[in-house]
Amino acid sequence: FIEPKDVILISAHGIIHSNRGDHIALKQESILPDHLARLAPRLIYLDSCQLGVSYEFIQRLKSVKTNYYVAPILSNEAGNSSTKTIKLFFESLQKGLSPSLALFHTRTQLYEDFQVTDTYRKLMWRAFPFRVYQLN
């Protein structure tokens, strides 16, 4: 028996398939929804392209009573804005904000930080790829 975890954060490439098989790629290995479900996290944050639209991940984690699922719905930038998103989101949680408000404040700050240098399209890509789902 594995004790449920409070938070899981993974930053790795996410892959969505049209017919089952969504996973997180780690070199030649894969993290599947069942692997994460065994940990039954209260909150899971996946810095992994497109996994914010993975029906497999969302449903599997919902089935083990995960409260919040945070992931990008598109390909997200690996690096600068991705790292900043993680930092700002978890700082906001630490201040006592709910995951939804934490993401709102994170997006607001990212928008302010990148609006000076980015085109509108790039700004949207950096500031708004993540979604937070309340599963339970």
Side-chain angles (χ1 to χ4, degrees):
F1 175 74
I2 297 175
E3 190 70 30
K5 305 301 176 208
D6 285 335
V7 175
I8 293 175
L9 184 152
I10 296 174
S11 183
H13 187 61
I15 298 173
I16 298 287
H17 287 287
S18 59
N19 58 344
R20 299 186 54 84
D22 297 352
H23 64 281
I24 299 169
L26 294 171
K27 295 191 180 194
Q28 286 75 30
E29 301 295 322
S30 294
I31 298 174
L32 303 173
D34 283 344
H35 296 145
L36 298 176
R38 287 184 210 138
L39 302 173
R42 289 180 50 218
L43 180 144
I44 187 157
Y45 184 110
L46 300 177
D47 181 29
S48 305
C49 294
Q50 304 172 355
L51 289 185
V53 295
S54 173
Y55 183 80
E56 290 176 58
F57 273 87
I58 292 168
Q59 289 304 309
R60 190 64 186 100
L61 289 159
K62 183 178 182 180
S63 75
V64 295
K65 306 293 188 229
T66 295
N67 297 100
Y68 295 97
Y69 179 86
V70 182
I73 61 169
L74 352 139
S75 294
N76 62 309
E77 178 190 35
N80 196 13
S81 65
S82 177
T83 302
K84 198 170 224 178
T85 301
I86 292 168
K87 179 182 179 297
L88 292 168
F89 179 78
F90 283 96
E91 284 175 351
S92 294
L93 282 183
Q94 194 170 29
K95 291 177 184 174
L97 295 180
S98 69
S100 297
L101 281 176
L103 186 59
F104 173 78
H105 285 282
T106 298
R107 288 174 171 168
T108 302
Q109 188 62 54
L110 289 167
Y111 188 91
E112 289 175 10
D113 291 350
F114 290 111
Q115 73 175 338
V116 179
T117 58
D118 287 351
T119 63
Y120 183 76
R121 184 178 191 161
K122 191 169 186 179
L123 179 59
M124 294 299 104
W125 177 63
R126 287 195 209 238
F128 296 102
F130 282 84
R131 296 295 180 267
V132 60
Y133 299 92
Q134 184 172 351
L135 302 179
N136 288 293

